[in-house]
Amino acid sequence: KREISNFDYLMYLNTLAGRSYNDYMQYPVFPWVLADYHSETLNFSNPHTFRDLSKPMGAQTVERKRKFIQRYNEVEKNLSAQCHYCTHYSSAIIVASYLVRMEPFTQTFCSLQGGSFDVADRMFHSVKSTWESASRDNMSDVRELIPEFFYLPEFLTNANHFELGCMQDGTVLGDVQLPPWADGDPHKFILLHRQALESDYVSAHLHHWIDLIFGHKQHGSAAVEAVNTYHPYFYGDKMDLNNIKDPLIKSTILGFISNFGQIPKQV
């Protein structure tokens, strides 16, 4: 009914599901909404401009979806449970990696990495390459976004001049590389990205993504059908830790959740 923005609605759902800016392990999760990071201009009237919101990040391409279904059906020997994904779409390290150019997230990221920055090639350095990794190329990367992608241009610039390292191709890491349509301007990126979130296409399809993250496709048979199941340890509210007597198993599960993320409470 356009009584509130899509951004406000998603923040409301995140809050209902127990997500908070105060907890890196349960930070608000937002969707990738665009699939076009190569054009000079964005065309909001073209459906191909947008990410498929009815599918999780692990099923954005036919080939990638096939591989994750194959993994689910085979249950590889090194997996302890049947699932499509052994990594999560939101975790403390994902949040800190996105915001690494700003304090206090810089120190948080370094502490999570053992005291220093990560290898430069693995650092968040390009919106386009991060999308390609999470939607197509990297089978251990199914990350979604955080709210800052829709309102905070400062996290895209290295205003503090941190020495983030040098990539194998010689590129020195500094500001985040933006898509051509942003003209190298973080403010323009945020403006257009927010317009994409509030566009007619996303407004008409956002409920599909909400079903995957917060709703009925979050677990059970609907999640299996949607290629949207994660390691059982990620479902924190489904794990009854009080009934686990072995302290080693209990600490392993808690460590797993704190390091790799947690599914939001079902709304």
Side-chain angles (χ1 to χ4, degrees):
K1 295 179 180 179
R2 300 185 185 276
E3 291 176 7
I4 61 171
S5 66
N6 290 336
F7 182 92
D8 288 340
Y9 186 52
L10 287 173
M11 283 304 300
Y12 182 67
L13 288 176
N14 270 285
T15 303
L16 280 179
R19 313 296 283 191
S20 167
Y21 282 119
N22 298 322
D23 186 349
Y24 294 167
M25 292 177 285
Q26 295 194 75
Y27 208 76
V29 56
F30 267 59
W32 288 95
V33 293
L34 291 171
D36 184 351
Y37 297 96
H38 55 270
S39 297
E40 294 293 331
T41 57
L42 283 174
N43 180 3
F44 289 158
S45 63
N46 182 358
H48 295 295
T49 298
F50 299 93
R51 166 256 182 102
D52 187 342
L53 288 159
S54 69
K55 295 182 175 68
M57 290 305 292
Q60 289 296 308
T61 70
V62 174
E63 177 63 14
R64 186 168 161 90
K65 180 180 178 181
R66 184 190 64 77
K67 287 180 180 176
F68 279 120
I69 291 173
Q70 184 179 0
R71 171 192 282 180
Y72 181 88
N73 291 333
E74 288 178 354
V75 190
E76 296 172 9
K77 288 174 184 161
N78 62 336
L79 299 182
S80 58
Q82 189 175 36
C83 61
H84 293 109
Y85 314 116
C86 298
T87 54
H88 200 255
Y89 50 76
S90 175
S91 66
I93 193 67
I94 289 172
V95 172
S97 69
Y98 280 145
L99 300 173
V100 69
R101 291 164 177 79
M102 296 172 59
E103 291 289 14
F105 303 98
T106 312
Q107 294 304 316
T108 301
F109 181 84
C110 288
S111 65
L112 289 169
Q113 283 292 128
S116 63
F117 291 120
D118 197 1
V119 176
D121 286 81
R122 289 202 299 257
M123 296 276 285
F124 172 53
H125 66 276
S126 159
V127 178
K128 178 176 181 281
S129 65
T130 302
W131 159 256
E132 289 172 347
S133 171
S135 66
R136 187 187 71 201
D137 297 338
N138 188 346
M139 291 291 283
S140 62
D141 183 2
V142 292
R143 77 184 77 180
E144 293 279 7
L145 298 182
I146 55 176
E148 284 82 352
F149 272 85
F150 300 93
Y151 69 81
L152 190 70
E154 287 78 9
F155 87 97
L156 297 165
T157 62
N158 188 19
N160 292 317
H161 306 292
F162 292 118
E163 294 184 8
L164 302 171
C166 185
M167 297 173 65
Q168 287 184 348
D169 64 4
T171 304
V172 177
L173 259 62
D175 297 346
V176 176
Q177 296 171 13
L178 302 175
W181 45 260
D183 295 329
D185 182 350
H187 289 83
K188 185 172 182 180
F189 172 85
I190 295 294
L191 175 68
L192 290 172
H193 205 214
R194 183 65 173 266
Q195 286 178 0
L197 178 65
E198 305 298 340
S199 67
D200 290 340
Y201 179 90
V202 172
S203 297
H205 295 84
L206 189 58
H207 63 286
H208 295 303
W209 183 83
I210 291 169
D211 286 342
L212 293 169
I213 306 300
F214 302 108
H216 78 287
K217 293 182 181 177
Q218 192 190 75
H219 57 259
S221 59
V224 175
E225 191 175 331
V227 194
N228 192 43
T229 65
Y230 297 81
H231 193 286
Y233 289 174
F234 291 139
Y235 298 86
D237 59 337
K238 299 284 184 290
M239 302 288 300
D240 189 355
L241 294 173
N242 294 325
N243 287 333
I244 298 174
K245 304 303 180 192
D246 188 323
L248 182 60
I249 295 175
K250 195 170 186 175
S251 65
T252 299
I253 294 172
L254 288 170
F256 197 95
I257 292 168
S258 65
N259 283 311
F260 299 111
Q262 194 170 348
I263 301 288
K265 291 176 184 171
Q266 192 174 32
V267 175

